[in-house]
Amino acid sequence: MFHVDQRARAIEELYRRRYRRFHATLSTITGGFESGHDAVQETFARALKQRAQFRGEGSLEAWVWRIGLRTAAELRRGRDSLSQNGVPAVELIDQGRDPEISAAVRDLPPRRRLLVFLRYFADLSYAEIAAVCGISEGTVAAALAQARDQLLRILEEGRAQ
């Protein structure tokens, strides 16, 4: 179990080590790189302030990611920040860069889309994603497999037309 000061050091180390992953992922929720940066800053400020609430059960990183997803959803302006199921709405920032992939990702159900972003933008393991989202690793694995199949199918159909 972490002592409070050890938690602060661990959170600061997590920030240094994983800032880019948090920024890339939270930007997809806030809708922009600058607002994504703000979300990361606010996430870690909240984590430091609330560090005594982390009981040491599970991953500190997963705990900070949960704070980050909530923070980014709060900072998202002008659009719905949560899907109907309470899942943070995520989308590619530069949709013009590859419109075909952007459209395919948008077609994913919100939960699958979030899992794809946590896996491939945040580079979280299945266990970490499960802890962040409050689901089992098996559910993560199945949902990611379904998302990959759906993306592949959509992209192949688009190329066939």
Side-chain angles (χ1 to χ4, degrees), residues 40-106:
V40 175
Q41 299 303 314
E42 182 63 24
T43 293
F44 280 88
R46 289 179 183 185
L48 283 168
K49 185 176 180 180
Q50 300 169 12
R51 67 187 180 274
Q53 295 175 16
F54 178 66
R55 294 184 293 268
E57 299 166 359
S59 160
L60 175 69
E61 184 169 351
W63 181 77
V64 175
W65 273 107
R66 284 191 296 277
I67 294 169
L69 294 178
R70 282 192 308 271
T71 301
E74 290 169 11
L75 293 176
R76 186 174 174 131
R77 294 184 182 97
R79 295 178 293 207
D80 292 332
S81 61
L82 298 175
S83 73
Q84 293 175 341
N85 300 333
V87 175
V90 294
E91 59 187 45
L92 293 170
I93 302 291
D94 187 1
Q95 296 180 16
R97 189 172 184 185
D98 195 331
E100 186 179 19
I101 289 179
S102 293
V105 169
R106 251 191 330 274

Side-chain angles (χ1 to χ4, degrees), residues 29-47:
I29 297 170
T30 64
F33 294 115
E34 189 171 318
S35 58
H37 172 75
D38 294 343
V40 175
Q41 299 303 314
E42 182 63 24
T43 293
F44 280 88
R46 289 179 183 185

